[in-house]
Amino acid sequence: MESDRKIARFDLRLLPRTEQLVSVTALVIFFASGFSALLYQVIWQRMLGFFSGADVYSVTIIVAAYMAGMGVGSLTGGYLADRLSRRGNLALFASVELGIALFALGSKGLYYDWLYQRLAFLASSPPLMAVVLFFSLLIPTFCMGVSLPALARALTRSIERAAGTIGALYGVNTLGAAVGAGVTTWIFLRQYSFETILHIGAGINALVALTAFPLARFLMQPGSVQPSRAASRTASDEPARTDQATGRQLPVPVWIALYGLSGFIALSLEILWFRILGVMLKSMAFTFGTLLTIFLSGLALGTFPGIKWAVHARNPMRSFLLLQSGVTIYALVTLTVFVSLTGQLPLLAPFWIYFGSFDPVHTGNAVDALPAFFFNPGALESEALSNARFFLLLYLVLPVMLIGVPTILMGMSFPLLQKIVQRDPETLGRRVGWLQTSNIIGSMLGALLTGLVALSWLGTPDSLRAIGLLSCSFLLLAAWGLLKRTWVRRGAYAGSIAFVLSLAFAVPDAQTFWATLHGVPPSHAIVAEDNTGLALIKSSTSDFSRRSFVMSNGLGQSAIPYGWTQSVLGFLPALIHPNPQTIAIIGLGSGDTLFHAGGRAETKELICIEIVGSQMDMLRGMAQRRAYPALLSILNDPRITYVIADGRSYIMQSGRGFDIIEADALRPNGAYSGNLYSEEYFRLLLDHLNPGGLAVTWVPTGRVRTTFIQVFPHYVDFGDILIGSNAPIEVDLQAIYRRLEDPFTREYYQRSGVNIGQWLDEYFVKRQPVVSDPSAPRPQSTDTNRDLFPKDEFLVR
């Protein structure tokens, strides 16, 4: 029996020397293949976002299209793999890797130069956009899907080694993907343009292909061992007899369907975890890549103990089902306990304080301090040391605690499933392909239904409950397979359902859940959530009579009553422009900029484009709690049209000009902020201005200033605000004061209580704005923000 287990284990020492070389090399290059796959996903998602927009619908469709292509590739690759020799499968793997490399080299031209710059109108129709995204990603994702069945069939020498071999391949590939996501997010994006990063990925895939092609011939050398069908089938019957001795069995199609359910739950949880942790961390440019790295690392690291477990498991069916149940049970327990105890335990006090803060942790300072933190902590000042420590707690310890363990359980279950279904070498490739395809289809459905439907209909806490109930399927099947007596089995069914129900309903309600994760009691918050994001307004009092702060996905945006820089961004261009009839405002927040942009009687139309649609519901809820006249004004002003979309995409697809276009103040290193601070974005605004129209931006960095003034022939520099135009800008303070005396304007601005005269004195008298025209010298620096190299977003020095 022990000798059988040694044979079943993926132990390189048991292979002939030539096979050892082939296997080790194959694992290394499959790691590299996974690395490049996630590199591409990060960059292609950003590039396609220019075409489709960066809103939740577009991002979800991109992810679904990516998965769909991989599913088609896995299914096709499985059938091809079973028809090819081991040498042929290795050659097939090398061919698809070379295909990915060639596609990557041309992908910038396809996704950015062609789809975005020439065919952006196709994105105006959501169904057509989804079709375009699917077919634009089909070639590389199809090739990625083919790779696992092909390589698994090439390296599996006998069916008893199938679980270990396939598990090892899956593990190293997923680990490579995790490293790829982390390195791309934290290193490549801070050093190179998107195009250069794609070239790096193409070089990796080309090297993988060039390494794999020569390996194929070693599989046919004398001394290499081909799988014996008779021996393999004999060995394959042994696990089946062992399982049947300990419980009832499920047919292979049922296991394929169960792996689809596993994918559905995994991707649903991923979306919910990323929503929750995005709020906790106050999501910035590095957040998504970091969480994806941790998620994939858990899957990879769980695979390796799963391989060993699969060798010794007497009942892999029971083990698989219990592991899958444990994923959701752990998720429900940890989130419930963490939310319930945050604000009560002194140990969690730093998190409670941070959740209640307006601004995110300064990522750049924390990252710069990490080398000294690990190797020379004495060289850091106490504040820097504390910031680095908290950054690690926030970005590493907290996500690992919440998603690390369940993803490890997911990874452990994969080799067990292979042991269950792999019993015939003739169908090995097809079963790998079917399992991967089923899992990918389930993942697609999880992403689409949870990301686009459940978050709007149920919200995050109730979606967690629904996933918990869905996971009962695994517990019930475990009871069905293990318990023979009917009354015992029925008792186990009832107990399983009752157990999961108790966990599910222990999750706090949405009001308590989100208020806690914003550092306030439930009565001090107004919460609105849908699939586009989470909006919350909080106050130090339950009646909201004091200043209330608007938060979007955990990040502070603005406040009510109005009176911050957002107010100036609204009224300054509106008062400077002689006749602002049509105004486009990107971003809603508290409505501060939108309100102050509408202070002229000449203005006939204001279009507010907001990517987080739940902000409207939040502001309506605030209006019911506090009758602030300026807020009531924007909720009832017939001139205002609200559009829930990506602002940049809307402007591009609008096909019209505006008298004023501006984006509300946006942190320069926020996720996707580079799309609204790039040279190409400013040129887009210039192209959509009416004659004499004004484009406005907040100026958080010197690089934004340089980028802006290199685009606009005429501009006015107010220090932290820039106004650009296609014609000379008349800056006449006396004319502005005369406009303020207009009865409509005077009465309108009284609703906000903002002292506009004081702000005008600050910006015109104290700051002395600089007016420039095309004859003025411009900085010749190339250190600007570009679409394909958003330096400020990724803290490039």
Side-chain angles (χ1 to χ4, degrees):
M1 188 65 179
E2 183 62 29
S3 61
D4 292 340
R5 289 177 178 172
K6 286 182 179 180
I7 293 173
R9 185 182 303 134
F10 184 69
D11 192 338
L12 295 174
R13 295 171 298 181
L14 299 178
L15 301 176
R17 187 173 298 276
T18 300
E19 292 278 343
Q20 289 182 28
L21 174 63
V22 171
S23 297
V24 170
T25 306
L27 291 174
V28 171
I29 62 176
F30 207 37
F31 174 94
S33 175
F35 181 100
S36 62
L38 259 291
L39 177 153
Y40 295 138
Q41 183 173 350
V42 171
I43 302 303
W44 287 341
Q45 185 165 316
R46 286 297 298 251
M47 283 188 171
L48 287 168
F50 293 115
F51 164 72
S52 63
D55 56 87
V56 67
Y57 174 81
S58 301
V59 171
T60 303
I61 294 299
I62 292 171
V63 172
Y66 205 92
M67 291 179 177
M70 291 187 67
V72 174
S74 295
L75 192 59
T76 306
Y79 279 90
L80 285 175
D82 285 335
R83 286 162 172 75
L84 296 172
S85 65
R86 298 178 68 202
R87 179 180 181 180
N89 273 294
L90 201 48
L92 173 63
F93 169 77
S95 300
V96 296
E97 291 292 315
L98 187 58
I100 295 169
L102 293 173
F103 184 91
L105 290 175
S107 59
K108 182 261 184 182
L110 172 63
Y111 294 147
Y112 187 80
D113 299 338
W114 195 49
L115 276 184
Y116 167 61
Q117 295 189 331
R118 298 185 182 183
L119 301 176
F121 64 90
L122 295 176
S124 59
S125 167
L128 180 58
M129 180 187 72
V131 172
V132 170
L133 289 173
F134 171 75
F135 281 103
S136 70
L137 285 166
L138 181 59
I139 292 175
T141 54
F142 176 89
C143 291
M144 292 174 189
V146 168
S147 62
L148 179 59
L151 201 54
R153 192 68 176 85
L155 295 185
T156 302
R157 299 177 68 251
S158 59
I159 199 65
E160 62 268 29
R161 290 197 178 102
T165 303
I166 299 168
L169 288 170
Y170 176 84
V172 297
N173 187 254
T174 307
L175 186 60
V179 175
V183 169
T184 302
T185 300
W186 286 101
I187 298 177
F188 288 169
L189 286 171
R190 300 188 70 191
Q191 301 291 333
Y192 310 114
S193 69
F194 292 174
E195 188 172 13
T196 300
I197 296 171
L198 288 174
H199 291 167
I200 293 172
I204 292 172
N205 283 112
L207 184 60
V208 168
L210 293 175
T211 305
F213 274 122
L215 282 182
R217 67 187 185 89
F218 287 109
L219 292 177
M220 300 302 292
Q221 282 185 346
S224 63
V225 181
Q226 301 298 312
S228 169
R229 295 181 182 178
S232 295
R233 285 173 179 162
T234 302
S236 69
D237 292 337
E238 186 62 32
R241 287 195 293 268
T242 302
D243 292 345
Q244 289 164 0
T246 55
R248 293 182 287 180
Q249 297 304 298
L250 295 169
V252 169
V254 174
W255 286 112
I256 292 172
L258 283 175
Y259 201 41
L261 176 61
S262 172
F264 181 94
I265 291 174
L267 256 292
S268 297
L269 284 174
E270 181 182 352
I271 288 173
L272 298 175
W273 280 327
F274 284 18
R275 168 65 61 88
I276 295 165
L277 283 162
V279 171
M280 289 180 178
L281 274 60
K282 302 187 183 299
S283 185
M284 301 299 285
F286 297 97
T287 305
F288 176 79
T290 302
L291 296 180
L292 186 60
T293 299
I294 294 171
F295 185 92
L296 294 171
S297 296
L299 290 177
L301 296 177
T303 304
F304 301 114
I307 294 171
K308 186 174 182 179
W309 191 352
V311 173
H312 298 279
R314 290 180 57 82
N315 193 327
M317 169 181 165
R318 175 189 60 192
S319 302
F320 174 85
L321 293 171
L322 292 179
L323 283 172
Q324 290 293 320
S325 303
V327 169
T328 310
I329 290 171
Y330 181 93
L332 292 174
V333 169
T334 51
L335 283 169
T336 300
V337 171
F338 183 82
V339 173
S340 300
L341 297 181
T342 298
Q344 299 182 26
L345 286 182
L347 181 65
L348 299 178
F351 293 112
W352 172 260
I353 294 170
Y354 180 72
F355 295 159
S357 65
F358 191 81
D359 292 309
V361 64
H362 197 298
T363 309
N365 290 347
V367 171
D368 291 341
L370 286 180
F373 176 82
F374 286 112
F375 302 109
N376 189 19
L380 291 175
E381 296 179 0
S382 59
E383 183 178 357
L385 189 66
S386 177
N387 288 341
R389 183 183 297 112
F390 182 71
F391 176 79
L392 289 174
L393 286 173
L394 189 68
Y395 268 77
L396 183 62
V397 176
L398 181 61
V400 167
M401 179 187 75
L402 293 180
I403 68 177
V405 173
T407 52
I408 287 173
L409 298 181
M410 294 177 191
M412 292 176 69
S413 66
F414 181 80
L416 291 163
L417 184 61
Q418 295 298 327
K419 182 175 182 179
I420 293 168
V421 303
Q422 296 295 354
R423 296 173 182 173
D424 186 348
E426 291 297 300
T427 61
L428 185 146
R430 275 168 282 176
R431 289 188 177 180
V432 171
W434 270 110
L435 285 171
Q436 289 300 99
T437 302
S438 175
N439 188 258
I440 289 168
I441 292 173
S443 298
M444 285 175 52
L445 293 175
L448 292 171
L449 292 179
T450 303
L452 299 181
V453 180
L455 283 175
S456 289
W457 289 4
L458 302 176
T460 297
D462 284 343
S463 294
L464 279 170
R465 294 187 183 98
I467 294 301
L469 295 177
L470 191 59
S471 71
C472 275
S473 305
F474 295 113
L475 281 176
L476 297 178
L477 280 172
W480 174 87
L482 294 174
L483 303 174
K484 297 181 180 179
R485 295 187 179 182
T486 303
W487 66 272
V488 176
R489 193 164 60 248
R490 290 175 179 173
Y493 293 161
S496 299
I497 295 172
F499 174 64
V500 175
L501 279 173
S502 65
L503 285 178
F505 287 99
V507 177
D509 63 272
Q511 184 73 20
T512 302
F513 191 93
W514 290 122
T516 301
L517 295 184
H518 285 81
V520 293
S523 60
H524 291 213
I526 298 170
V527 179
E529 182 182 15
D530 62 16
N531 61 346
T532 63
L534 176 81
L536 180 144
I537 187 166
K538 62 179 185 176
S539 177
S540 59
T541 60
S542 59
D543 61 1
F544 290 82
S545 58
R546 296 184 180 178
R547 195 170 189 84
S548 303
F549 297 94
V550 171
M551 316 292 286
S552 178
N553 293 325
L555 278 170
Q557 299 295 325
S558 49
I560 296 175
Y562 302 152
W564 287 9
T565 303
Q566 284 88 349
S567 302
V568 186
L569 282 166
F571 69 68
L572 194 59
L575 293 173
I576 289 175
H577 196 288
N579 186 26
Q581 295 192 31
T582 58
I583 301 175
I585 306 292
I586 299 175
L588 174 60
S590 65
D592 193 339
T593 300
L594 175 63
F595 171 81
H596 285 96
R600 299 283 298 280
E602 295 88 343
T603 302
K604 306 303 181 186
E605 182 183 26
L606 293 104
I607 299 176
C608 180
I609 312 107
E610 172 55 55
I611 203 167
V612 180
S614 56
Q615 290 190 18
M616 282 300 300
D617 292 332
M618 174 202 67
L619 292 179
R620 293 189 186 102
M622 178 64 179
Q624 295 175 359
R625 300 286 286 271
R626 179 178 179 177
Y628 179 48
L631 175 58
L632 295 174
S633 179
I634 65 168
L635 292 176
N636 298 287
D637 192 333
R639 301 176 300 167
I640 299 176
T641 300
Y642 292 98
V643 178
I644 308 304
D646 175 85
R648 174 170 169 160
S649 293
Y650 177 86
I651 297 295
M652 185 171 187
Q653 296 170 14
S654 65
R656 57 176 297 188
F658 299 89
D659 294 318
I660 297 175
I661 310 175
E662 67 174 293
D664 205 352
L666 182 69
R667 291 176 180 83
N669 61 329
Y672 288 94
S673 62
N675 292 5
L676 298 180
Y677 285 125
S678 69
E679 179 181 327
E680 293 84 355
Y681 165 71
F682 291 138
R683 292 196 184 280
L684 176 68
L685 299 191
L686 182 62
D687 292 341
H688 286 78
L689 288 177
N690 291 329
L694 304 178
V696 189
T697 187
W698 184 48
V699 187
T701 71
R703 192 178 279 132
V704 170
R705 172 175 283 101
T706 301
T707 305
F708 187 92
I709 65 181
Q710 287 189 1
V711 170
F712 288 91
H714 303 271
Y715 68 89
V716 183
D717 188 348
F718 288 94
D720 62 347
I721 295 175
L722 279 165
I723 299 178
S725 181
N726 51 25
I729 304 172
E730 183 181 354
V731 181
D732 185 345
L733 186 57
Q734 296 307 313
I736 289 174
Y737 274 112
R738 286 195 299 271
R739 289 164 186 154
L740 277 172
E741 291 304 313
D742 179 272
F744 176 91
T745 302
R746 184 173 61 251
E747 187 276 332
Y748 183 90
Y749 283 137
Q750 284 175 351
R751 300 173 196 169
S752 71
V754 174
N755 189 336
I756 293 180
Q758 181 179 350
W759 282 106
L760 290 175
D761 182 67
E762 169 70 25
Y763 275 82
F764 281 90
V765 178
K766 295 181 180 179
R767 301 194 181 189
Q768 293 293 316
V770 176
V771 182
S772 185
D773 59 34
S775 64
R778 305 295 172 102
Q780 299 303 311
S781 173
T782 58
D783 187 23
T784 58
N785 290 308
R786 302 297 302 269
D787 276 353
L788 302 185
F789 198 2
K791 296 181 180 180
D792 281 334
E793 182 179 345
F794 292 101
L795 304 174
V796 177
R797 291 192 177 277

